[in-house]
Amino acid sequence: MDAEVRPVVREMERQARFPAAQIKKLSDLGCCGMLVPEEWGGSRIDTICYVLMLEEVARVFTAMSTTLGVTNSAVQVPLLCFGTDAQKQKYLRRLASGEILGAFCLTEPGAGSDAAGIQARAIQDGSVYRLNGTKTWVTNGGVAGVYIVFAKTDPRAGGKGISAFLVEPGFPGFRVGRHEEKMGQMSSPSVEILLNDCVVPEENRLGQEGQGLKIALSALDGGRIGIAAQAVGLSQGALEESVKYAKQRRAFGKSLSEFQAIQWMLADMQTEIEAARGLLYQAAWLGDSGGHMGTWASKAKLYASEMANRVAYRAVQIHGSMGYSRETEVERIYRDARVLSIYEGTSEIQRMIIARDLLKRD
Ligand SMILES: Cc1cc2nc3c(=O)[nH]c(=O)nc-3n(C[C@H](O)[C@H](O)[C@H](O)COP(=O)(O)OP(=O)(O)OC[C@H]3O[C@@H](n4cnc5c(N)ncnc54)[C@H](O)[C@@H]3O)c2cc1C
């Protein structure tokens, strides 16, 4: 990441360019299929290795770790768990090798946290489904080779009437709409997907009719650990920049690092990062050891994403006016951090999950 990616981060971010060549380099190292077994073209090792990879990518360029998180966990894991052999043959192999990227289309203009409230419709018409609706904030939209799209096959059944579909960008009626104008993570595309009588073959339904919400929620459960890894990596990057700057910048005849106020900020940053890292590795280890990850991924995501915002705030503070300048890494990091407590389940939703689990016990 330091040798191959860091030199291009500023240019990519300023131009809001998707780092296709850098993603390709990571996919050559196996980073695009880390949760998929070798028999389906992946490089599956374990969850600990996966979160270490995301942490390291996010330390240098968080936008790239968002792309990798979505294709690995939000797309390939549901395909691995719910796909038919034919679907795995057709899509999973290419995803796991990094030949194509995946995208996950759940959120709509009128439904985010309330996933059961989506309005997109899928109506069966002989051997195909016709999909209509608008999806927003689709990460990897416009650069993905396959999209998991959630739509209602039985609107009267509420959350139980949602189904999932594997949609190719070349299917009739599929269109990439506007790109969101964002605060940060400029090199990670977030787009609108417009489905206008989009024709999807029946064999591209993922899982059974009505299983869509279960598929979506299980994908988000797994994704949370990835966001926690991004948050830890981003924060580590912010800390490294801050230590470097504190040693080099002088004020009142001393280096900043000699002021106790600065030392305490650095000490708090490091302590909180290590606390989040502990939660993250605990969740990953539970996932790997066959134990029930339960609410550990939610706890890791909640704490790490909010911690990343505190750390990024202090990093900017330590840099003074330079922290507010686009010349520094920490200015980008501050903007990139903000979304971590929003996407793949907001902090409020994580607290609901954790509290619900706590209160259901005797
Ligand atoms: C950069 C980016 C990338 C994204 N990528 C994707 C993607 O690839 N695919 C995809 O499908 N979506 C994606 N999203 C969407 C994201 O998952 C949603 O934004 C998120 O789930 C929150 O939904 P919302 O924005 O509609 O907020 P809302 O659901 O409208 O929530 C607004 C506020 O109300 C709070 N709130 C809502 N319900 C409750 C409740 N019951 N109790 C207490 N508080 C509540 C929320 O916590 C939040 O603070 C992305 C978003 C961003 C910003």
Side-chain angles (χ1 to χ4, degrees), residues 5 103 117 157 271-272 278 348:
V5 178
T271 305
E272 291 195 42
E348 292 70 33

Side-chain angles (χ1 to χ4, degrees), residues 140-218:
N140 296 343
V143 295
V146 67
Y147 296 70
I148 299 186
V149 176
F150 298 88
K152 282 194 169 153
T153 37
D154 181 2
R156 285 164 310 171
K160 293 206 167 92
I162 298 174
S163 303
F165 299 89
L166 295 163
V167 181
E168 294 180 30
F171 285 176
F174 178 99
R175 193 156 65 82
V176 174
R178 73 184 180 99
H179 285 240
E180 297 293 343
E181 290 187 31
K182 297 187 292 186
M183 177 193 290
Q185 299 210 17
M186 312 304 274
S187 292
S188 162
S190 306
V191 309
E192 197 176 54
I193 295 294
L194 307 166
L195 303 158
N196 188 6
D197 253 347
C198 179
V199 181
V200 180
E202 189 178 10
E203 65 263 24
N204 275 35
R205 194 188 62 231
L206 182 64
Q208 300 304 312
E209 272 201 9
Q211 249 191 335
L213 192 60
K214 181 178 168 196
I215 295 173
L217 296 182
S218 73

Side-chain angles (χ1 to χ4, degrees), residues 241-286:
E241 290 299 316
S242 303
V243 168
K244 215 167 39 183
Y245 191 77
K247 284 183 177 168
Q248 144 212 327
R249 171 78 175 170
R250 295 185 71 77
F252 298 95
K254 289 178 176 175
S255 117
L256 289 185
S257 60
E258 291 176 68
F259 297 121
Q260 194 176 51
I262 302 290
Q263 291 173 358
W264 284 18
M265 276 197 263
L266 292 172
D268 285 346
M269 286 159 83
Q270 186 171 45
T271 305
E272 291 195 42
I273 293 168
E274 294 299 0
R277 197 173 263 132
L279 279 172
L280 169 66
Y281 294 171
Q282 169 79 3
W285 173 77
L286 278 171

Side-chain angles (χ1 to χ4, degrees), residues 104-107 112-113 137-139 190 339 342-344 346 348-349 352:
F104 178 86
C105 311
L106 179 64
T107 304
S113 307
W137 290 105
V138 176
T139 299
S190 306
V339 75
I342 296 173
Y343 60 17
E344 298 225 18
T346 62
E348 292 70 33
I349 297 299
M352 270 169 54

Side-chain angles (χ1 to χ4, degrees), residues 13-33:
E13 136 88 10
R14 291 248 173 114
Q15 297 170 5
R17 258 170 55 207
F18 179 69
Q22 288 70 27
I23 292 283
K24 169 78 177 69
K25 284 182 185 173
L26 286 171
S27 88
D28 290 346
L29 296 174
C31 299
C32 281

